[in-house]
Amino acid sequence: QVQLVESGGGSVQIGGSLRLSCAVSGIIDSNNCMAWFRQAPGKEREQVTIIETSGVELWYRDSVKGRFFTSQDYAKNTVFLQMNSLKPEDTAMYYCATTRHGCGSGFSVWGQGTQVTVSS
């Protein structure tokens, strides 16, 4: 059974940085994808970035390109989302998710989320 646990959220000033972590327990086959999503109050959930479980970055949302970056620590089974130059519009609950049966199979496992708040 695969479980995801996010951490690293918090409150930060405009222009600040945060690094979110997604700790993975269980085994995810190599032909899968992981992603970060976010959902702000009153808004629909939106995808932020997608990476292959091999670490290859596939896609970033335009609004975060050049500011957000993903990385992995294979020894710790953890995926990171480094967020720089944060803006108020980045305020949201952030979730990591993974597919289980190939990148096209849909994100079927989700973490509980970690809150990011950006303010002046």
Side-chain angles (χ1 to χ4, degrees):
Q1 183 178 2
V2 173
Q3 292 184 325
L4 307 178
V5 178
E6 302 95 334
S7 61
S11 296
V12 64
Q13 291 187 328
I14 295 171
S17 298
L18 283 173
R19 188 177 77 160
L20 306 184
S21 300
C22 176
V24 180
S25 61
I27 297 174
I28 303 174
D29 293 335
S30 60
N31 63 337
N32 281 289
C33 286
M34 297 189 71
W36 287 94
F37 292 80
R38 66 186 181 186
Q39 187 167 21
K43 294 187 177 181
E44 292 188 355
R45 185 177 62 199
E46 61 184 23
Q47 202 161 22
V48 176
T49 183
I50 305 172
I51 58 172
E52 293 181 345
T53 49
S54 62
V56 175
E57 297 172 321
L58 296 178
W59 179 85
Y60 283 93
R61 190 170 197 82
D62 283 348
S63 60
V64 307
K65 284 181 181 177
R67 300 189 298 121
F68 289 15
F69 304 92
T70 58
S71 62
Q72 297 188 33
D73 183 333
Y74 292 100
K76 296 182 179 180
N77 269 359
T78 302
V79 177
F80 302 100
L81 181 67
Q82 178 67 43
M83 306 187 297
N84 301 323
S85 301
L86 284 162
K87 304 175 181 180
E89 51 264 42
D90 295 319
T91 294
M93 184 73 79
Y94 283 72
Y95 302 88
C96 63
T98 185
T99 64
R100 294 297 312 281
H101 306 289
C103 288
S105 65
F107 293 96
S108 57
V109 181
W110 293 76
Q112 83 290 349
T114 186
Q115 177 68 39
V116 172
T117 302
V118 184
S119 58
S120 57

